[in-house]
């Protein structure tokens, strides 16, 4: 049920790279974990608090390798993982969803194509907000959502592709939805999946349009030299949120899904995501934002697609572009918008990553070598957590055929014989059990990880000593499967090249190994050959 942009997928993939063609390889240092001001010489192993609350840090000593850490408190916002896929859940649906679960994801982002549910030509008396109107055909949407829920996953539903009569003006294209009609269809969808329809589950997560800051998906972006897409999208959000919250108050409206780069050329216009965010919430730039005008945008989650050219530490040339390295600038803007009253949500608004990935090599000869991609995936998830991201979503589940599509960014290698013989990439292991380790002063290492599916557990951090792995410290995760600590390396371990990993005890499941020596950055775009 995926909707397709009017432009070619290859052009869209190229545009997700640095729009100027210049990849900035300024590398951010690994985050440092300063000593706790309360216990600068603590010798007991403790998990550190969130990097959002650095005062909770304490040292871990080599003298307590075999002991358990104190029970971990929650490190702040829970981090969950999701997979976005535009592959239909046909007869392979159960197997595809099993692969998603094996990858440790808890959510699946799927599309409802409005023009496949709604009538091509509404008959007199058609009620667009009524899910029981005979003009609607929900069979394909039902099947996809039912399969996701039956697999023990939660659906994130994105609505796009308006029928001709719901375009503004009619017939102008699927990139130009009419906001009132969009809200009415959202009402019908949210009511069908509010938990009261016999045989249908309750869907809580609702996305409001894909990449509305780019003309690939929302038109027009500008008229007579003035940006108009911001007001259009704000109106869409208002109608959509009223409908979705009206169906069930605990539903979450997810706005944004922003394209990562600003683009301005003869064929494409994209407003840089941080600029688009400020304009939508009508707040100023700078360290102390203030309101420029009065708006109240009803959204529970703001989201972005931080496709990054290079490693997760690579900084974009335009600071208003959002890549993995500067996600915190977006979360700061969202917090400011809510503090100033421009973002109207009943609880603290979240920020999600609703797409991110790189092509791998193989199969894409211009993608990221698979072992380096494995490291980058773990770092991407870690840096998202540090930035206050609540959900990290990978695009997509399985590679698409090289030559026929620019997207070889799956967690699984595509098997020509079908899904049943797809094989997981090294990146799937890092997505399932991300673990990172960064060397710091005085032979200390900052470690962070998340257990598969965020299940609470006891983990042992190990270091590679010759031909075997040796225990370094045992930690209990918090309730969301997160563990983090600052540990001292044994004298025999190299402070610059040591190899570490985490093992979930009981299941005896190791994370991918992570070297203290980072590989060189690579001048690659997210979708390689594109």
């Amino acid at each position: 049920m995926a909707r397709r942009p009017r432009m070619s997928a290859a052009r869209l993939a190229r545009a997700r790279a640095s729009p100027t063609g210049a990849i900035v390889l300024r590398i951010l240092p690994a985050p440092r974990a300063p000593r706790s001001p309360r216990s600068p010489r603590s010798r007991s192993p403790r998990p550190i608090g969130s990097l959002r609350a650095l005062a909770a840090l304490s040292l871990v000593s080599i003298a307590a390798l075999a002991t358990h850490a104190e029970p971990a408190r929650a490190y702040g916002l829970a981090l969950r993982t999701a997979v976005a896929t535009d592959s239909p859940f046909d007869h392979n649906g159960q197997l595809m969803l099993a692969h998603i679960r094996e990858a440790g994801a808890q959510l699946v982002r799927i599309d409802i194509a409005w023009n496949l549910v709604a009538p091509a030509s509404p008959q007199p008396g058609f009620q667009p907000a009524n899910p029981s109107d005979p003009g609607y055909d929900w069979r394909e949407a039902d099947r996809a959502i039912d399969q996701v829920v039956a697999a023990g996953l939660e659906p994130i539903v994105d609505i796009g592709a308006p029928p001709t009569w719901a375009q503004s003006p009619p017939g102008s294209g699927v990139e130009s939805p009419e906001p009132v009609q969009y809200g009415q269809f959202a009402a019908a969808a949210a009511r069908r999946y509010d938990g009261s329809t016999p045989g249908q589950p309750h869907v809580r997560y609702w996305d409001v349009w894909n990449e509305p800051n780019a003309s690939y998906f929302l038109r027009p972006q500008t008229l007579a030299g003035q940006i108009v897409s911001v007001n259009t999208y704000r109106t869409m959000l208002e109608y959509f949120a009223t409908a979705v919250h009206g169906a069930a108050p605990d539903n979450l409206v997810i706005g944004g899904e922003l394209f990562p780069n600003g683009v301005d050329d003869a064929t494409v216009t994209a407003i840089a995501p941080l600029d688009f965010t400020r304009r939508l919430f009508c707040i100023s730039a700078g360290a102390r934002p203030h309101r420029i005008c009065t708006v109240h945008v009803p959204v529970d989650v703001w989201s972005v697609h931080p496709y990054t050219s290079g490693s997760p530490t690579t900084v974009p040339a335009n600071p208003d572009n959002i890549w993995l390295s500067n996600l915190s600038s977006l979360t700061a803007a969202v917090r400011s918008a809510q503090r100033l009253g421009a973002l109207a949500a009943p609880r603290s608004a979240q920020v999600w990553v609703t797409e991110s990935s790189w092509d791998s090599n193989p199969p894409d000869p211009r993608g990221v070598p698979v072992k380096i991609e494995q490291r980058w995936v773990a770092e991407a998830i870690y840096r998202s957590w540090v930035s206050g991201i609540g959900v990290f979503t990978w695009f997509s589940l399985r590679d698409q055929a090289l030559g026929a599509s620019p997207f070889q960014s799956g967690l699984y290698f595509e098997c020509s014989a079908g899904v049943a013989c797809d094989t997981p990439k090294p990146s799937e292991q890092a997505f399932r059990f991300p673990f990172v380790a960064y060397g710091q002063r005085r032979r200390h290492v900052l470690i962070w990880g998340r257990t598969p599916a965020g299940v609470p557990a006891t983990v042992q951090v190990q270091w590679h000593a010759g031909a075997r792995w040796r225990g370094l410290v045992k930690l209990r995760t918090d309730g969301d499967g997160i563990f983090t600590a600052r540990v001292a390396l044994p004298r025999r371990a190299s402070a610059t090249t040591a190899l570490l990993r985490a093992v979930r005890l009981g299941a005896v499941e190791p994370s991918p190994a992570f070297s203290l020596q980072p590989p060189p950055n690579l001048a690659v775009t997210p979708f390689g050959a594109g």
Side-chain angles (χ1 to χ4, degrees), residues 324-338:
L324 291 163
S325 63
N326 65 332
L327 275 168
S328 59
S329 62
L330 184 67
T331 56
V334 170
R335 289 169 183 154
S336 293
Q338 186 163 26

Side-chain angles (χ1 to χ4, degrees), residues 78-83 97-107 151-154 381 390-392 411 428-435 448-457 459 477-483 504 507 509-511:
L79 174 71
R80 294 181 293 168
T81 55
V83 173
L97 290 162
H99 285 175
I100 290 173
R101 284 201 64 180
E102 288 168 8
Q106 296 131 302
L107 304 105
L153 298 160
E154 287 195 82
I381 296 173
V391 170
F392 179 88
L411 294 172
E428 187 269 351
Q429 299 170 329
F431 183 83
R432 173 177 169 81
F433 195 169
F435 172 78
W448 177 92
R450 175 184 178 271
T451 59
V455 175
V459 298
T477 72
D478 70 4
D480 303 309
I482 300 291
F483 58 96
R504 183 172 62 150
E509 179 178 5
S511 72

Side-chain angles (χ1 to χ4, degrees), residues 294-375:
T294 302
V295 297
H296 301 280
V297 182
V299 66
D300 303 294
V301 178
W302 195 244
S303 61
V304 68
H305 300 166
Y307 288 101
T308 298
S309 293
S311 79
T313 59
T314 307
V315 179
N318 179 355
D320 284 346
N321 293 345
I322 296 296
W323 293 4
L324 291 163
S325 63
N326 65 332
L327 275 168
S328 59
S329 62
L330 184 67
T331 56
V334 170
R335 289 169 183 154
S336 293
Q338 186 163 26
R339 175 179 56 82
L340 294 168
L343 189 159
R347 59 190 70 82
S348 180
Q350 298 183 38
V351 181
W352 290 6
V353 167
T354 42
E355 281 184 33
S356 189
S357 63
W358 296 272
D359 272 14
S360 69
N361 178 11
D364 183 347
R366 288 161 59 183
V368 183
V370 289
K371 290 302 293 183
I372 294 179
E373 186 189 39
Q374 182 182 61
R375 179 186 177 97

Side-chain angles (χ1 to χ4, degrees), residues 254-274:
I254 305 164
E257 300 187 76
L258 298 173
F259 188 80
N261 299 312
V263 182
D264 185 12
D265 62 30
T267 59
V268 175
T269 299
I271 313 304
L274 190 55

Side-chain angles (χ1 to χ4, degrees), residues 27-30 311-313 371-372 375-376 379 383 436-440 494-499 513-522:
I27 306 302
L28 293 175
S311 79
T313 59
K371 290 302 293 183
I372 294 179
R375 179 186 177 97
W376 286 9
E379 289 193 282
R383 291 183 180 278
V436 299
Y438 297 109
Q440 300 189 315
S494 168
T496 57
T497 63
L499 202 61
F514 197 94
S515 174
L516 296 184
Q517 183 175 26
N521 203 346
L522 301 175

Side-chain angles (χ1 to χ4, degrees), residues 71-297:
R73 293 176 294 175
Y75 293 122
L77 186 66
L79 174 71
R80 294 181 293 168
T81 55
V83 173
T85 177
D86 59 2
S87 300
F89 295 134
D90 49 23
H91 63 283
N92 291 312
Q94 290 184 344
L95 188 52
M96 292 170 64
L97 290 162
H99 285 175
I100 290 173
R101 284 201 64 180
E102 288 168 8
Q106 296 131 302
L107 304 105
V108 182
R109 180 179 165 221
I110 61 174
D111 295 333
I112 288 183
W114 183 3
N115 57 10
L116 297 183
V117 176
S121 299
Q123 298 299 308
F126 175 63
Q127 302 176 52
N130 179 5
S132 300
D133 190 282
Y136 280 133
D137 182 354
W138 297 99
R139 286 175 296 178
E140 189 174 353
D142 288 350
R143 181 166 55 85
I145 290 172
D146 288 347
Q147 285 185 315
V148 169
V149 174
L153 298 160
E154 287 195 82
I156 305 170
V157 173
D158 186 88
I159 295 175
T164 300
W165 52 267
Q167 296 164 10
S168 179
S172 56
V174 294
E175 303 89 355
S176 302
E178 201 288 312
V180 174
Q181 295 287 353
Y182 188 55
Q184 290 178 330
F185 182 70
R191 288 172 60 191
R192 182 168 183 83
Y193 304 112
D194 66 0
S196 67
T197 302
Q200 298 305 323
H202 180 193
V203 174
R204 293 189 60 225
Y205 303 118
W206 296 89
D207 275 341
V208 189
W209 208 258
N210 187 63
E211 298 183 351
N213 59 321
S215 58
Y216 308 116
F217 294 101
L218 185 64
R219 299 187 183 194
Q221 288 289 316
T222 62
L223 285 175
Q226 299 296 312
I227 295 173
V228 296
S229 57
V230 170
N231 287 339
T232 300
Y233 187 62
R234 189 187 299 117
T235 302
M236 291 169 62
L237 273 170
E238 291 168 351
Y239 283 112
F240 191 101
T242 298
V244 168
H245 288 147
D250 63 336
N251 284 346
L252 294 188
V253 172
I254 305 164
E257 300 187 76
L258 298 173
F259 188 80
N261 299 312
V263 182
D264 185 12
D265 62 30
T267 59
V268 175
T269 299
I271 313 304
L274 190 55
D275 183 27
F276 188 91
T277 298
R278 294 191 194 107
R279 289 173 182 270
L280 185 113
F281 293 115
C282 214
I283 61 174
S284 66
R288 296 183 177 180
H290 59 272
R291 298 187 75 164
I292 298 172
C293 64
T294 302
V295 297
H296 301 280
V297 182

